[in-house]
Amino acid sequence: MSSFLSTPVESKVEEDIEYNNICQKHNLLLQTLPKGNGWRVQHLYNYNGFWLNPNTVKNNLLLHTYFKSLPTDIVLVAFMKSGTTWLKALMFSTLNRDCYTFSNHHLHNHGPQSTFPFLDCESYPITDFTSISVNPRLFATHYAYTLLPACIKSGKIVYVCRDPKDVLISKWHFMSKLRSKDLPPLLLDSAFELFCQGESEYGPFWEHVLSYWSASLEFPEKILFLKYEDMKKQPEVVVRKLAAFMGKPLTADEEKRGVVMDIVKLCSFENLSNLEVNKKGLEKFGRLVEVEKQDFFRKGEIGDWKNYLSEEMKERVDTITNEKFVGSGLRLGATV
Ligand code: PAP
């Protein structure tokens, strides 16, 4: 991870005309964009239909300006708390299955979040990631499809979605931990209301999912659309799909040797959450965000929302989901 992190060099920032122009554009933009309530920071801004925190708006401008994609890139996308950590581990270990043994694996000593870069965080000096020599390069982002630079859309994308009720509960727990100490705690009732109105980082949830669902129907060879619930039910099916999609299908010999189950076990919630490397320390994202590694592992279950949401709340989310997804052909929940 450290290879793509940059040390802030404030004096250099002042001399960088292109970067300063973007900062200026960002400041002006924030004055004009609709403002909403943040979960982690005080305000979110509605940028081209999606609620982002101010730094994520800025980073979207930076991404559009600086990111140099390669046709072989594969980008993992998910709405927050929908399965990024798990898929990072699965994609990394599936793609690099010839580089490590399963008894002495990179993931035993490195958190899944550090296996490949997250594109939504600002680092300075700006990196265009051209120094990454592995092929294909893997990246991750939470941006909606319409907010991605065109060059990313021309490569391959793995998208994962999850039941919005579980996403809401997972996100509320996670954001409550990261929430600025200067703000009052975010009560679940308030988070629920904001989520239903679409007002949460990278939201609205439903438009985010639909943006990738529609694109996956249009470009099925470019976008692999997965569901967290399918992954829980039959992870081995997902590993095979991922391997083929990433251009490295499982061979008959690998199948015989049980490589699929090795990957599944390595990346399971039980295994990863019990590794020392995932229990302590901080994961750094760009120069501004740090997260306790253990906060990426909470319960890893389907249906934990039942412990938090009333029947009425469940009905409200399900009704929104049905109304938003009607006619799209998308059904949430396990399909395999
Ligand atoms: P991010 O958006 O901050 O990157 P992300 O990894 O997408 O988070 O989602 C975290 C959720 O995935 C957590 O769900 P929970 O709060 O409902 O428990 C986390 O526990 C779960 N998770 C992390 N790793 C795994 C895994 N290996 N298998 C299943 N679920 C996992």
Side-chain angles (χ1 to χ4, degrees), residues 227-238:
K227 297 179 188 174
Y228 182 92
E229 292 76 15
D230 287 338
M231 293 168 63
K232 285 295 282 190
K233 206 166 161 196
Q234 287 192 300
E236 65 284 3
V237 172
V238 172

Side-chain angles (χ1 to χ4, degrees), residues 4-73:
F4 61 86
L5 287 176
S6 309
T7 324
V9 188
E10 301 303 341
S11 59
K12 291 245 171 64
V13 172
E14 283 164 29
E15 295 159 17
D16 188 333
I17 295 171
E18 188 173 42
Y19 176 79
N20 279 302
N21 284 342
I22 294 173
C23 293
Q24 223 171 2
K25 186 175 167 188
H26 174 244
N27 285 334
L28 290 172
L29 198 57
L30 292 189
Q31 290 169 31
T32 62
L33 295 177
K35 224 179 191 182
N37 293 295
W39 292 38
R40 183 170 69 83
V41 296
Q42 192 172 14
H43 294 298
L44 297 180
Y45 293 83
N46 194 301
Y47 183 54
N48 294 332
F50 290 91
W51 292 102
L52 301 177
N53 75 42
N55 286 324
T56 329
V57 173
K58 181 175 174 189
N59 201 63
N60 197 262
L61 300 176
L62 295 171
L63 198 61
H64 278 259
T65 309
Y66 292 99
F67 186 71
K68 306 270 185 302
S69 73
L70 293 175
T72 48
D73 287 346

Side-chain angles (χ1 to χ4, degrees), residues 81-86 113 162 170 228 267 296 298-300:
K81 314 321 285 180
S82 297
T84 296
T85 310
W86 191 8
Q113 289 283 349
R162 188 182 185 190
S170 182
Y228 182 92
C267 301
F296 290 107
R298 195 181 61 92
K299 285 194 175 173

Side-chain angles (χ1 to χ4, degrees), residues 67-117:
F67 186 71
K68 306 270 185 302
S69 73
L70 293 175
T72 48
D73 287 346
I74 305 172
V75 180
L76 163 62
V77 194
F79 188 82
M80 281 187 73
K81 314 321 285 180
S82 297
T84 296
T85 310
W86 191 8
L87 263 165
K88 273 193 158 185
L90 286 170
M91 287 169 69
F92 178 84
S93 53
T94 301
L95 200 59
N96 297 299
R97 59 190 188 268
D98 299 332
C99 306
Y100 308 100
T101 63
F102 289 97
S103 54
N104 182 19
H105 200 276
H106 181 83
L107 281 172
H108 292 160
N109 305 306
H110 300 84
Q113 289 283 349
S114 73
T115 51
F116 50 92

